[in-house]
């Protein structure tokens, strides 16, 4: 998403005003005269102020589309031509959204670089005209204003352009992006959102009038720091240093995998060094180049996938879940509790011991308190949210629960015991969800009196940061149960994929063969640090060895054993003995302070755990030189992952490739620039992947045998996962 | 409840403004002058079987003064004592028959946290009469009165003194938490070494003082800011607000000049009357800049209530006790109601919520009410409440009612001025509202008065006052 948004934001050193506001009451506006109806934009005139309202039809957000562009320039030309109009206000009719950025569909529809460049130039022309407008223009922004939307009047801040991060309104004011803030209104004579927009418009109109009458000056007072910075930037040497520094930082952060940020720097550089015309030209060309890249296609694909996975395809459940109970106050249980209470769900957190319960409650509190420190919550809101949580050791109150999520230890007999205990106390309509990463849900449901109410909800750790939720349905799970689980997940702010039951479901199953390969690579003598750098430079956010430490060596061992039993040779490769030995020595990863690395509280630097040397030495395998280049190592990992993902689609575990891509990227950190395993096959080419697999198959055997579906795609180049 | 809202830095502006206008001649706008509707209706009384009738024998208050003026060197219990002695003087009640004393206050002087007791002892009440202090923001005195009503109705007491006090000329400004901690630790330190090591931890920024909160604790929003947003939500214009404030000041001035504010007892010469009444002109008021939401807000110093010092006290009795003692009571205290709602967006809508509930409870309608006495925190707040009460949409969507509450007729509304003009000592306003309603019913004729107020925390109160038959 990062790059996607960032490309829309271009360097502009404009000086007009924008407001994020909502309302002042000016009573007597003279009647609006011209009211032409267009589809995206309509405008009316109040007194001598033109009010331009942006409202893309049939969409929750306004995006910069071709139609909007043309209507906008039409309207603006009328405004500039009119003698009656002395100033203008730009405002969105949609609550919570000004302009979200360029229309992704419009960009995706472009076949050539020239088309995109042309689009970009058209947009530039409008913005340039806005900048040079002789009549004051006030942008009244309510809610998200990103990408091209922001260009409508913002002296670009470099940091924001590069990361595409969102800024809160009060910060925007401090940064000088906006001139005035308007606070949201509460209920009055109309719904609050509606009245707030009206109010915003009213305030904006008074400002526009004030600007036109020269009662308000559009100049902002610059602070000392700002003045100094501005001065420093006039010295070429300083500028060069700044470019260098920024470029270095960007290269480090993106590892050269995302082309957009570097191009943005180029554009800014051109703009400053060679003047704005050259800057605009450079901008539109680079923008065109970027839209045509594979990365752009991959990221746009992810965007569409994410939109899809934010919908409940089962429809609305019969009964809303209002009371939630969570069993097990461990890392997962407490994490699930945190994302539930802050959405207003009354949540019971139950554990067997007071110590574990207390730790879990502390975790929830800390999660909320961190938001207070970042000023995302007030301490009062934190307390009030925290009051939604009840910690307890018994089953009191479970008779009111609408859903129970168990997050106890991954042990089938324990899960069975818990299920039976819970079913004795919960009401008939209550859903039993199991948060397991590998145990088949149908096996857990085997002891249930009502298997139609049993479902899997696989969260990812840390729950408050990881967006994915994998929901697992069995043959017997009812549609309403699924609808409820998805509804709860959406409420918790998750991106959701729904998969069929099976060992390891989708995500764990894809990860397992890759992990097996990780072990083999380590056994072949590749240093964990080197392995980490190979994986991160391929685009994974976390290195493979670090990932094992983060997940927990014991968990990895558990999964490897369980899935190894079911899938046999295909999941082989590395020797699971490595994990067994690590567990027996207490090297459980981050949680025990030692794994492949050593972890110390407060120490950021990671040192290798030298005690691992003897273990690795005892299990050493001779590397095969024909498949051990850096690139081969990367591809051995990725192709096993991709092959298993495609197999999941082939077997019907996955319903759609889109869900597979979202699951892999949001849950397992599959490189976003590649768009997910299925998009990767489409963009990289199935044939090339199959060739790779066959090469490794020759060296290692069946673990690398391409699955049928992948082979089919390789055989007929027209076959694509995304048409 | 208004002053809490003023950031302290605004005070000089507000008082300068006040001074400028206090010397202006009175300009009473005639169209706003309320026509006194003398009615002699006889309606049912609201007495309830098996519940004792509670009556107000009489009530008094000190003049309400702009803070920082003549009361500035007093302590709160001094003002409260003045109200109590005034009440003793006015009613000649023997001190020993008073069973209990209750006072409301908001910003507490830490030395006299039970200000009711300190004031009672100083006013010469029997040391055998217990006293307690209550706090409920701007409806603290209302709470003091209704607590008394409860004690009488339940047969625990026969004679109660209820009142309230606020002295905004002085507020507790504390050392910072760090400094307090250091001082407390020093207290406990046993050796010189320990003391020195503690003192070495002192940093200059420990000396930064901590002011009393001017904003709502739960939302961190000042009340003036909330009032401005409320006015905007209900589309109340600046002009409407200024007009309403002007009405309040004009009516207060008229009532003062005609000697209608009979509940005021002189504090001491020359402090004999309220000093915040300052009728001005709309043109002058229009010049003021917004005080909270700058630069485009609508709430200004001129259309808000000001920081006030003052105290009030009331003698409440069981009806049979009052009659046995030979009193002619002024009014009955009838049904009352407390409400609360969202402290962010509906902070000041208490009257809208409380009014229909108390009317229903008493079996009355808006038309039965002859005297409305609503607390005026801000013009914008009163007008927003009016618009809310007049809106079917609001009633349906936020109050769970099928139809709107209905608008109180302006000619019966705060006819002798209100908190905007008379002033608003937080803890004392409730008693002033009830006495205004009782005195108006006697003067203007009519049987029922309705008192309503909003308070910080999103709370509200309403009470029915019934005139005692002449």
């Amino acid at each position: 998403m990062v790059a996607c948004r960032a490309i829309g934001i271009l360097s502009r050193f404009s000086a007009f005003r924008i407001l994020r506001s909502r309302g002042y009451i000016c009573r007597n506006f003279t009647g609006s005269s011209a009211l032409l109806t267009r589809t995206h934009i309509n405008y009316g005139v109040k007194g001598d102020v033109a009010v331009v309202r942006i409202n893309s039809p049939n969409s929750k957000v306004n995006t910069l589309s071709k139609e909007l562009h043309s209507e906008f320039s039409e309207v603006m030309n009328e405004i500039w031509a009119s003698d009656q109009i002395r100033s203008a206000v730009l405002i969105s009719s949609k609550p919570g959204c000004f302009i979200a950025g360029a229309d992704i569909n419009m960009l995706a529809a472009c076949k050539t670089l020239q088309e995109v460049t042309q689009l970009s130039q058209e947009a530039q022309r409008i913005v340039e005209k806005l900048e040079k407008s002789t009549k004051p223009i006030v942008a009244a922004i309510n809610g998200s204003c990103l990408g091209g939307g922001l260009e409508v009047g913002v002296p670009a801040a470099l940091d924001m352009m590069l990361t595409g991060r969102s800024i809160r309104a009060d910060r925007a004011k401090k940064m000088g992006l906006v001139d005035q803030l308007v606070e949201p209104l509460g209920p009055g004579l109309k719904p609050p959102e509606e009245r707030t927009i009206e109010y915003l418009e009213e305030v904006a109109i008074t400002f526009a009038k004030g600007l036109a009458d020269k009662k308000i000056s559009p100049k902002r007072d610059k602070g000392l720091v700002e003045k100094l910075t501005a001065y420093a930037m006039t010295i070429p040497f300083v500028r060069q240093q700044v470019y260098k520094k920024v470029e270095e930082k960007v290269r480090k952060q993106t590892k050269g995998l995302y082309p957009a940020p570097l191009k943005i720097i180029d554009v800014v550089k051109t703009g400053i060094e060679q003047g704005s015309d050259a800057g605009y030209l450079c901008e539109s060309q680079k923008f065109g180049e970027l839209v045509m890249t594979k990365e752009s296609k991959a990221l746009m694909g992810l965007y569409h996938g994410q939109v899809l996975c934010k919908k409940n395809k089962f429809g609305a459940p019969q009964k809303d879940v209002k009371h939630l109970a969570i069993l097990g106050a461990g890392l997962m249980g407490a994490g699930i509790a945190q994302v539930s209470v802050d959405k207003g769900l009354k949540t019971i957190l139950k554990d067997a011991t007071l110590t574990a319960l207390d730790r879990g409650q502390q975790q929830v509190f800390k999660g909320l308190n961190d938001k207070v420190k970042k000023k995302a919550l007030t301490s009062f809101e934190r307390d009030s949210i925290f009051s939604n949580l009840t910690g307890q050791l018994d089953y009191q109150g479970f008779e009111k629960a609408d859903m129970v999520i168990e997050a106890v230890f991954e042990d089938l007999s324990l899960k069975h015991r818990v299920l039976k205990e819970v079913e004795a106390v919960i009401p008939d309509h209550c859903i039993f969800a199991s948060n397991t990463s590998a145990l088949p849900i149908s096996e857990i449901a085997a002891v249930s009196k009502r298997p139609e109410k049993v479902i899997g909800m696989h969260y990812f750790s840390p729950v408050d940061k990881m967006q994915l939720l994998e929901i697992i349905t069995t043959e017997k799970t009812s549609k309403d149960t699924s609808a409820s689980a998805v509804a709860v997940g959406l409420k918790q702010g998750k991106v959701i994929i729904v998969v069929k039951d099976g060992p390891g479901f989708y995500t764990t199953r894809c990860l397992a063969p890759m992990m097996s390969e990780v072990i083999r690579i380590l056994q072949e003598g590749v240093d964990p640090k080197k392995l980490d750098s190979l994986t991160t430079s391929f685009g994974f956010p976390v290195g493979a060895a670090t990932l094992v430490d983060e997940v927990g060596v014991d968990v990895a061992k558990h999964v490897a054993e369980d899935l190894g039993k079911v899938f046999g040779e295909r999941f082989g490769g590395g020797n699971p003995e490595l994990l067994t030995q690590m567990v027996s020595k207490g090297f459980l990863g981050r949680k025990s302070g030692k794994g492949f690395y050593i972890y110390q509280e407060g120490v950021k630097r990671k040192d290798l755990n030298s005690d691992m040397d003897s273990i690795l030495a005892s299990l050493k395998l001779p590397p095969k030189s024909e498949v051990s280049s850096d690139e081969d190592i990367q591809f051995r990992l990725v192709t096993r992952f991709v092959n298993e993902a495609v197999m999941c689609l082939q077997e019907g575990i996955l319903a759609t490739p889109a869900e597979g891509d979202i699951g892999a990227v949001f849950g397992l950190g599959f490189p976003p620039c590649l768009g997910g395993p299925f998009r990767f096959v489409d963009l990289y080419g199935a044939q090339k992947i199959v060739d790779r697999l066959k090469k490794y198959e020759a060296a290692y055997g069946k673990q690398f045998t391409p699955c049928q579906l992948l082979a089919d795609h390789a055989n007929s180049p027209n076959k694509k996962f995304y048409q | 409840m208004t002053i809490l809202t003023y950031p302290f830095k605004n005070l000089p502006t507000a008082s300068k403004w006040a001074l400028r206008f206090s010397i202006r001649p009175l300009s009473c706008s005639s169209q706003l002058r309320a026509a006194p509707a003398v009615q002699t209706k006889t309606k049912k009384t609201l007495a309830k079987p098996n519940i004792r009738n509670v009556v107000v024998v009489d009530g008094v208050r000190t003049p309400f003064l702009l803070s920082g003026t003549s009361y500035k060197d007093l302590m709160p219990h001094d003002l409260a004592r003045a109200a109590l002695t005034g009440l003793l003087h006015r009613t000649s009640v023997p001190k020993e028959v008073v069973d209990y004393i209750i006072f409301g206050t908001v910003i507490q002087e830490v030395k006299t946290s039970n200000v009711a007791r300190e004031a009672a002892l100083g006013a010469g009440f029997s040391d055998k009469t217990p006293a307690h202090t209550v706090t409920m923001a701007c409806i603290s005195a209302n709470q003091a009165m209704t607590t008394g009503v409860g004690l009488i109705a339940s047969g625990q007491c026969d004679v109660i003194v209820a009142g309230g006090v606020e002295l905004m000329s002085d507020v507790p400004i504390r050392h910072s938490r760090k400094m307090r901690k250091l001082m407390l630790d020093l207290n406990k330190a046993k050796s010189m070494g320990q003391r020195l090591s503690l003192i070495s931890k002192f940093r200059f920024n420990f000396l930064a003082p901590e002011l009393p909160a001017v904003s709502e604790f739960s939302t961190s929003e000042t009340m003036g800011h909330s009032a401005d947003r409320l006015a905007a939500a209900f589309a109340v214009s600046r002009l409407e607000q200024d007009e309403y404030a002007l009405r309040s000041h004009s009516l207060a001035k008229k009532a003062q000049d005609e000697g209608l504010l009979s509940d005021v007892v002189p504090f001491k010469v020359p402090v004999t009357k309220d000093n915040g009444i300052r009728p001005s002109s709309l043109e002058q008021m229009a010049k003021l800049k917004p005080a909270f939401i700058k630069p485009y807000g609508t709430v200004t110093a001129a259309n808000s209530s000001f920081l006030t010092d003052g105290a009030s006290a009331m003698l409440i009795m069981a009806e049979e006790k009052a009659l046995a003692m030979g009193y002619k009571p002024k009014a009955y205290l009838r049904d009352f109601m407390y409400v609360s709602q969202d402290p962010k967006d509906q902070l000041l809508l208490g009257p809208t919520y409380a009014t229909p509930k108390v009317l229903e409870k008493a079996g009355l309608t808006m038309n039965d009410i002859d005297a409305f006495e609503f607390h005026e925190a801000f013009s914008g707040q009163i007008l927003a409440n009016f618009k809310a009460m007049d809106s079917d949409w609001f009633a349906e969507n936020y109050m769970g009612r099928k139809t709107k509450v209905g608008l109180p007729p302006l000619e019966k509304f705060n006819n002798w001025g209100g908190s905007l003009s008379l002033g608003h000592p937080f803890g004392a306003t409730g008693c002033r509202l009830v006495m205004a309603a009782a005195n108006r019913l006697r003067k203007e004729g009519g049987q029922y008065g309705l008192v309503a107020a909003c308070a910080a925390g999103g709370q509200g109160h309403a009470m029915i006052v019934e005139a005692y038959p002449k």
Side-chain angles (χ1 to χ4, degrees), chain A residues 16-220:
Chain A
F16 53 92
R17 314 174 54 95
I18 66 174
L19 317 152
R20 179 201 164 98
S21 51
R22 310 137 185 231
Y24 186 104
I25 295 84
C26 282
R27 287 165 109 204
N28 308 313
F29 286 127
T30 46
S32 47
S33 55
L35 214 145
L36 292 164
T37 320
R38 295 178 172 86
T39 45
H40 290 259
I41 287 178
N42 70 71
Y43 91 101
V45 182
K46 294 191 168 178
D48 55 6
V49 183
V51 180
V52 181
R53 297 191 188 85
I54 306 163
N55 194 1
S56 301
N58 312 320
S59 164
K60 270 190 214 161
V61 294
N62 294 322
T63 46
L64 290 175
S65 60
K66 268 185 192 169
E67 297 79 23
L68 196 140
H69 274 158
S70 66
E71 285 186 16
F72 186 68
S73 52
E74 233 176 82
V75 165
M76 288 316 293
N77 286 333
E78 280 180 37
I79 289 172
W80 282 312
S82 162
D83 295 333
Q84 192 205 344
I85 296 166
R86 300 184 54 223
S87 58
V89 167
L90 310 183
I91 191 167
S92 160
S93 304
K94 294 192 196 300
C97 176
F98 183 67
I99 299 174
D103 181 355
I104 289 193
N105 291 327
M106 166 182 81
L107 295 182
C110 292
K111 297 267 179 319
T112 64
L113 192 153
Q114 285 71 27
E115 266 183 78
V116 184
T117 305
Q118 201 190 337
L119 274 179
S120 167
Q121 281 167 342
E122 275 168 28
Q124 283 176 345
R125 272 194 290 276
I126 299 175
V127 178
E128 198 181 356
K129 270 175 114 173
L130 278 180
E131 270 178 56
K132 293 183 177 153
S133 168
T134 47
K135 295 177 182 177
I137 297 168
V138 174
I141 301 165
N142 171 18
S144 53
C145 166
L146 294 160
L150 199 61
E151 289 188 43
V152 182
V154 174
L158 205 59
D159 182 40
M160 205 173 59
M161 279 195 288
L162 296 180
T163 60
R165 81 196 150 103
S166 307
I167 1 172
R168 286 205 320 272
D170 52 346
R171 278 218 61 202
K173 169 117 197 252
K174 273 199 192 128
M175 286 165 67
L177 287 182
V178 300
D179 294 303
Q180 282 301 329
L181 298 183
V182 171
E183 302 242 345
L185 299 181
L189 301 174
K190 284 175 185 174
E193 302 78 28
E194 197 182 319
R195 174 65 195 143
T196 298
I197 291 191
E198 255 181 42
Y199 182 50
L200 173 65
E201 187 181 309
E202 288 162 4
V203 174
I205 288 172
T206 28
F207 269 85
K209 272 188 204 289
L211 284 169
D213 298 343
K214 308 252 187 283
K215 278 185 192 152
I216 304 171
S217 144
K219 277 191 197 116
R220 302 180 182 86

Side-chain angles (χ1 to χ4, degrees), chain A residues 24 181-182 184 187 190-191 195, chain B residues 218 229 232 296 345-346 393 398:
Chain A
Y24 186 104
L181 298 183
V182 171
K190 284 175 185 174
R195 174 65 195 143
Chain B
S218 59
R229 286 197 305 115
Y296 53 83
D345 289 332
Q346 306 196 14
W393 188 87
Y398 288 93

